[in-house]
Amino acid sequence: MIVDCAIYRHGLRTEGPEDLSDALQEARAAGGFVWIGLHEPSEREFALVTEEFGLHPLAVEDALKAHQRPKLEVYDDSLFMVLKPVVYEPESDTVSAGEVMVFVGDGFAVTVRHGEGSPLAAVRRRLEEEPEMLGKGPTSVLYAIADATVDHYLDVATELQTDLEELEAEVFSPDGGGSRHTASRIYTFKRQVLEFRRATGPLAPPLTRLSGTGALGGGVAFVDDKARPFFRDVNDHLTRVNESVEGLDRLVSDILSAHLAQMSVRQNDDMRKISAWAAMAAVPTMIAGIYGMNFDHMPELHWMWSYPAVIAVMAVLEVLLYRLFKRRGWM
């Protein structure tokens, strides 16, 4: 469905005609551009937009099916970019990603949003408050969406860092690290970091290209060259995010290794305690087993003090073994 459609002239909004072809012609004639926002359009709904704006069929297919990696494609009549805004849900401590596809061409910008997260209404309102930025044409839409997406990445990275510190405190607590749910929590957190990484990592090459830096630097069709400094700023923020994600991934792997090491040490301690008690139980068992055999010639059986002597020997041996194991830390 079409969420919003407006024509922007000299950085100011004017409502466009209902007919998309008329809106595009009017925007081009006035030296402005038309911005159409759609939310999860069907193939039939998107067909009209495709026809009027001459969008490439491959990009249209990606926009309809979604589930794309962040990327930048330049076609003859338009530019196509995919971004994956991320939403952090504090109730469940989970990360979920939506998708925003942006088409930029001569006199138009078309945005296609998938998922309940990543609404673009706030981005549009903020951009409309900056006429100077809107005056740069459809490039301003691409920049504003990329900037809002990456800025929210920073917020999500901060939330994940807080969760990681709580998880770290639990693992290294005197008794919390032995919980049977700790390993599953660590693994779940690692999956959230991986989901976050899938959104942030692939976005670096497209932003590098738009900012005009690196091996892919150079002019990009349908993007105003004066916008390069703005894209460089977004790219710098994304670099910080990716560094933070790398740090989170390394730390959670280290925490998992530490937790497994702790569990191994605890199991070794338990096995030593069990072995010590088994050794102590073996001494009286052995002595009792000897005297339980039916031999005729066992002189001490007829001695009056034989029973107390055997019990005394067992007790002395048990005490010696207990002190030995205690000194070695087995008990």
Side-chain angles (χ1 to χ4, degrees):
M1 59 176 293
I2 296 180
V3 179
D4 199 352
C5 176
I7 295 176
Y8 296 90
R9 301 186 183 94
H10 308 295
L12 300 177
R13 174 182 177 131
T14 58
E15 298 301 325
E18 294 184 359
D19 185 86
L20 298 181
S21 179
D22 293 342
L24 181 60
Q25 292 178 4
E26 183 178 336
R28 286 174 174 172
F33 70 96
V34 58
W35 178 3
I36 299 177
L38 301 100
H39 178 236
E40 296 183 356
S42 64
E43 185 174 351
R44 182 177 179 181
E45 292 172 336
F46 203 48
L48 179 60
V49 178
T50 302
E51 181 180 355
E52 294 296 340
F53 294 95
L55 305 180
H56 196 280
L58 292 177
V60 171
E61 181 181 359
D62 290 343
L64 290 173
K65 291 185 177 180
H67 303 294
Q68 305 295 319
R69 298 174 75 250
K71 63 179 180 178
L72 176 67
E73 301 285 352
V74 180
Y75 299 103
D76 293 336
D77 298 323
S78 63
L79 175 150
F80 176 65
M81 187 170 182
V82 179
L83 301 102
K84 294 181 74 70
V86 170
V87 177
Y88 177 80
E89 300 173 2
E91 295 80 8
S92 56
D93 293 335
T94 57
V95 171
S96 59
E99 288 187 52
V100 173
M101 285 79 169
V102 185
F103 294 87
V104 174
D106 182 16
F108 69 87
V110 177
T111 55
V112 182
R113 180 168 62 90
H114 290 269
E116 294 302 323
S118 66
L120 298 180
V123 176
R124 188 186 286 261
R125 286 196 301 269
R126 190 185 71 178
L127 193 57
E128 288 174 354
E129 295 173 357
E130 301 178 9
E132 184 178 353
M133 177 60 67
L134 266 175
K136 298 184 183 299
T139 302
S140 62
V141 176
L142 183 61
Y143 160 72
I145 295 175
D147 184 51
T149 299
V150 174
D151 283 348
H152 193 59
Y153 285 166
L154 292 170
D155 297 334
V156 173
T158 302
E159 295 287 350
L160 288 176
Q161 182 65 43
T162 301
D163 288 346
L164 181 61
E165 291 173 358
E166 294 175 357
L167 187 60
E168 187 177 16
E170 177 183 340
V171 169
F172 291 103
S173 65
D175 52 357
S179 172
R180 66 178 63 183
H181 302 295
T182 302
S184 63
R185 283 197 60 195
I186 297 173
Y187 181 73
T188 300
F189 184 84
K190 192 170 181 64
R191 286 190 64 86
Q192 304 311 313
V193 174
L194 178 61
E195 182 71 18
F196 191 27
R197 194 174 192 173
R198 287 173 179 166
T200 64
L203 186 58
L207 284 180
T208 299
R209 186 176 179 184
L210 289 171
S211 62
T213 58
L216 299 176
V220 179
F222 309 108
V223 175
D224 191 342
D225 290 340
K226 295 180 181 179
R228 287 186 180 182
F230 297 96
F231 284 110
R232 278 199 293 270
D233 180 66
V234 177
N235 195 29
D236 288 342
H237 291 175
L238 181 64
T239 300
R240 289 171 51 196
V241 171
N242 283 329
E243 290 175 352
S244 179
V245 173
E246 289 287 343
L248 288 172
D249 190 49
R250 287 195 300 268
L251 281 175
V252 73
S253 296
D254 292 343
I255 289 175
L256 179 59
S257 299
H259 174 67
L260 295 177
Q262 284 181 330
M263 295 300 294
S264 178
V265 170
R266 287 191 178 95
Q267 289 177 351
N268 289 337
D269 289 341
D270 293 340
M271 289 303 299
R272 285 190 297 181
K273 291 178 181 179
I274 293 172
S275 300
W277 284 109
M280 292 176 63
V283 171
T285 302
M286 178 186 67
I287 296 176
I290 292 174
Y291 284 95
M293 294 185 290
N294 297 320
F295 292 125
D296 292 333
H297 302 289
M298 297 183 73
E300 63 271 19
L301 294 179
H302 304 287
W303 183 40
M304 182 178 64
W305 301 102
S306 61
Y307 178 74
V310 170
I311 296 299
V313 170
M314 289 184 185
V316 170
L317 291 176
E318 290 294 304
V319 170
L320 291 176
L321 287 174
Y322 179 81
R323 294 185 63 182
L324 175 63
F325 293 144
K326 190 74 173 178
R327 187 181 300 114
R328 294 187 176 183
W330 285 27
M331 301 188 70

